Amino acid sequence: MSIIELGDSIPPFTPHAVSMSLPTWTDNVGYEEGDKRVTDKLSTGYPRFFIHKSIVAFADDIVAKYGTPDRKAMLFPSSKTAQRCRSFIKAKAEPSLAGDVKIIDLFLDKRKEPSKIIAKVSPSISAVIFHKDLFPIAKQYWQHSGDGISSRRAEFCHSLFSDGKLVYFTPPQPMVNQKRGPKRYQRGSVDQTSPNENPQLPLRNDAAESRESTQFLEERFGRNLDISLVDNAKLALRRRIAGSLVGEVDLSVEPSRKMTSNSRGVTGLSDDDVYLYPCGMNSIFNTHRLMLESRGQLKSISFGFPYVDTLKILQKFGPGCLFYGNGSSEDLDDLEARLKAGERYLALFCEFPGNPLLKCPDLKRIRKLADTYDFGVVVDETIGNSINVHVLPYADVVVSSLTKIFSGDCNVMGGSAILNPEGRYYQHLKSAFEADYEDNYWAEDIMFMERNSRDFVARIKKINDNAEAICNVLQAHPLVKEVYYPKYSPTKQFYDDCRTPTGGYGGLLSFTFHKKDHAVAFFDRIETAKGPSLGTNFTLTSPYVVLAHYLELDWAAGFGVPADLLRISVGVEDAEDLKSRFAIALKAAEAVDS
């Protein structure tokens, strides 16, 4: 494959791509240092770090109408999410600037846009408007929480705003639903009628609505699906995550009312125990927030070297956390000693396996400690995935970034949280989730995610096999110092404790060379996509530590995570072709010493 040009989207020509191309080591360093040579070429980026240009343009237009030239705005899908951002800004900002942070709530004016098709997707935007000097603080909230709007939502709502159809007013109250049966199975049940809606507006006949629906989907979704099927798409996603739905599904057929089975290793799991979020970090953010709400203001435990924003959430939102960056048996010994001495904690958060060293925590021991000393367990299964491992039996909540391998196409964000119905905190957590949960997952993103995930199960075995083949190539080469992969990890037993009968060891691996120069030469030569993210259907290479921890490289090295580590997310390409590409890149590393 040809190398994707610096700054172009990954995949190419994808306006809502989740990754962007940084094809050389120098490009990655330049990105972290804000080098204009790099930043000026970025067409997009990972959405929680790079605010999509369509979102920026919409925010600028809102400020132009409702603010002043010294203001900026962050956009959120609801007033509740905007209020959380405002509270974060006020808590972190200088008092002289913190007092003037306002929220503008924009809703569809159905007098100007009477379409039931448009109303079905419930377009709304809540803008937090603040002094421009507070932007770095607002950006922290955007990055850590994942509460911000998606680029597809921004494009759609911006168009309505420009047409004067998305306006600043108090939203109408929904009419009492007179239809029988669960709301999620009722077509059109989310439609709301404003009390002040013009009664003289003509009624739309079925043929007109059908034509509008087709046009809407062709222009907005690029999928030949009726918008009334979005609720069925959500249910299909929840059941696929719960392990009861595999493969293709006809969204036009009303699903059965009850989920009959699951493959998650627990009994009693329902699709109602699966909650969808706009991105994976948002599922972690909300799980932590609702843990605090249901169990009280206690410190959490971050166990193992974590994804950067998970640790930031635990440190910045609430009373803080106890951090065990190695995630070792010795760390569990220390934790047990603290617990025996009377220390109490909210929950232990961990990844299975961890990123980027692919080590696994001892979930069996953690579960026993949690049951003995009364704390929750939250496991991020993004890298392991439910086809390879069953972690729900050991967790109270399992979170995942659907953006990664579940989607695979690198063109849509999503996240999920699963409550374990056999968990000791299930009733408390269920009550908290039900009382607080907002469905902020934008309809277009749902449709893409549902389509992308239909072959999720079929992709996993190919990716598992390809990853092991690449590991074999790397392990056999004398310049390679160490390969990190669950199958070859000192924590393999902990992985195997949770591995499914047909499960493999996943598609993510990392490795180091004996010399940094070898790593740089290999990275610059390897013919794969090169940028942030993981779990793509195509192989994606990254100098992960440079991107995730550039300002704290020594800190990361203190936990055994070297700065020149390379991380490979292996795709579904032909195995022999992949091995050939890696062999060529290894030759480039060899040439450094010649």
Side-chain angles (χ1 to χ4, degrees), residues 18 50 151 215 250 309 333 335 339 413 439 482 491 502 570:
V18 169
F50 180 99
S151 52
Q215 181 184 26
D250 184 354
D309 285 305
D333 291 341
L335 175 60
L339 294 166
M413 300 282 278
D439 184 1
E482 188 163 4
T491 63
T502 59
V570 182

Side-chain angles (χ1 to χ4, degrees), residues 298 335-345 373:
L298 295 167
L335 175 60
E336 185 168 11
R338 290 172 178 266
L339 294 166
K340 285 180 177 178
E343 294 185 21
R344 291 295 175 262
Y345 296 94
Y373 296 102

Side-chain angles (χ1 to χ4, degrees), residues 463-473 485 487-488 504-506:
I463 288 172
N464 289 342
D465 292 343
N466 279 355
E468 290 203 31
I470 296 305
C471 280
N472 293 338
V473 170
Y485 189 61
K487 186 174 182 178
Y488 309 114
Y505 291 90

Side-chain angles (χ1 to χ4, degrees), residues 426-445:
Y426 175 72
Q427 293 300 334
H428 291 295
L429 286 171
K430 187 71 174 175
S431 295
F433 271 78
E434 288 298 304
D436 183 88
Y437 179 75
E438 281 191 307
D439 184 1
N440 288 327
Y441 200 9
W442 179 239
E444 291 177 275
D445 297 322

